[in-house]
Amino acid sequence: MLRYVFAPVHPAFAHSLGVPLTLTELAGSGQDLTAANPRGVAITFDDGPHPVGTPAMLEVLARHGARATFFVIGEQVVKRPQLLQRIQAEGHAIALHGYHHRLHLRRSAVELADDFTRGLAAIEDAVGSSARLHRPPFGIYSRASLQIARDRGLQPLLWSTWGKDWRKFTTSERIAGRAVGGIQAADVILLHDADFYSAKRSHERTAQALELMLARLESAGLGTFLCG
Ligand SMILES: [Zn+2]
């Protein structure tokens, strides 16, 4: 029986449950985004807001006039709601990654429902509007959590390319190369603007990689746009 969805390893699992990995698939699930910019990709950041990492990403994005979607963690949002307000004020989208950053598979439906409730409330309290997109910690839904996300009106979105920027031993060049080396229109790029759940200070390499990636996207004629 299909117990979970781990898109990067088993994209067919995600597809069989209708969980999008790319902007084209996301548009097919009701949100018509790629029509507005068929040469666009989406940059997404998980795990923030972080007092150092998030502002670092915002500064690089602003220099390049790029847009991104931030999948935030409620327990971090309640500590620094003003950072969420800044993300929104600078024209980026806010989406839900969870209240706690815990794997869904071994959590009860009651615990999961509470996590969604608290995560959504943290975002609403900080910026006065609701998240529309959701991505689970580690990219792994349980059957229960996927159902809860949909019951709450959240659109699941995973990703189609990543920099593996959470690793302890990597470089900004490797992160950028992995994330955009084979980039195509409609790809969804996964990065992290925080080191709460990954190698310490990993966001410093991610910020440097973001600079390289945006330059490469610009030379490839690929714009960045929101998906939330
Ligand atoms: Zn995460």
Side-chain angles (χ1 to χ4, degrees):
M1 189 177 90
L2 182 61
R3 288 193 55 226
Y4 61 88
V5 179
F6 186 42
V9 179
H10 301 295
F13 277 10
H15 293 149
S16 72
L17 295 187
V19 175
L21 309 184
T22 67
L23 292 175
T24 307
E25 292 166 9
L26 181 63
S29 61
Q31 300 196 35
D32 188 18
L33 292 155
T34 50
N37 185 352
R39 294 291 296 160
V41 300
I43 295 175
T44 66
F45 294 102
D46 286 6
D47 295 0
H50 185 283
V52 178
T54 305
M57 304 312 158
L58 290 172
E59 280 151 31
V60 177
L61 291 166
R63 262 203 304 284
H64 289 264
R67 291 278 189 272
T69 302
F70 290 77
F71 287 81
V72 297
I73 289 289
E75 67 181 4
Q76 305 302 336
V77 172
V78 296
K79 291 178 192 165
R80 46 194 79 86
Q82 72 289 348
L83 211 37
L84 219 61
Q85 293 156 12
R86 181 175 164 192
I87 290 170
Q88 191 177 61
E90 296 190 13
H92 307 290
I94 292 164
L96 180 64
H97 194 35
Y99 187 83
H100 295 296
H101 197 276
R102 293 182 192 152
L103 188 64
H104 286 175
L105 296 180
R106 282 184 291 276
R107 302 183 74 190
S108 71
V110 171
E111 286 174 329
L112 289 163
D114 182 61
D115 191 281
F116 275 83
T117 299
R118 294 177 71 191
L120 286 167
I123 293 172
E124 283 168 23
D125 289 348
V127 295
S129 55
S130 275
R132 292 197 297 148
L133 294 178
H134 175 259
R135 171 185 292 157
F138 314 102
I140 300 175
Y141 279 108
S142 66
R143 277 187 176 276
S145 70
L146 184 57
Q147 189 59 50
I148 292 165
R150 289 178 166 150
D151 288 348
R152 301 296 173 92
L154 291 163
Q155 167 63 54
L157 176 66
L158 295 175
W159 62 90
S160 56
T161 179
W162 56 4
K164 297 194 175 181
D165 57 338
W166 62 85
R167 291 180 166 180
K168 187 172 182 183
F169 299 106
T170 187
T171 65
S172 52
E173 269 292 347
R174 285 175 66 183
I175 293 165
R178 199 187 294 272
V180 302
I183 196 84
Q184 296 180 328
D187 267 330
V188 174
I189 304 167
L190 168 65
L191 296 169
H192 297 79
D193 59 333
D195 65 351
F196 299 121
Y197 318 105
S198 55
K200 290 299 144 208
R201 299 170 71 179
S202 59
H203 51 81
E204 294 178 1
R205 286 188 291 269
T206 302
Q208 293 169 352
L210 183 61
E211 191 80 58
L212 300 172
M213 289 168 45
L214 288 170
R216 290 179 202 174
L217 291 174
E218 283 157 19
S219 62
L222 289 167
T224 56
F225 65 112
L226 301 179
C227 54

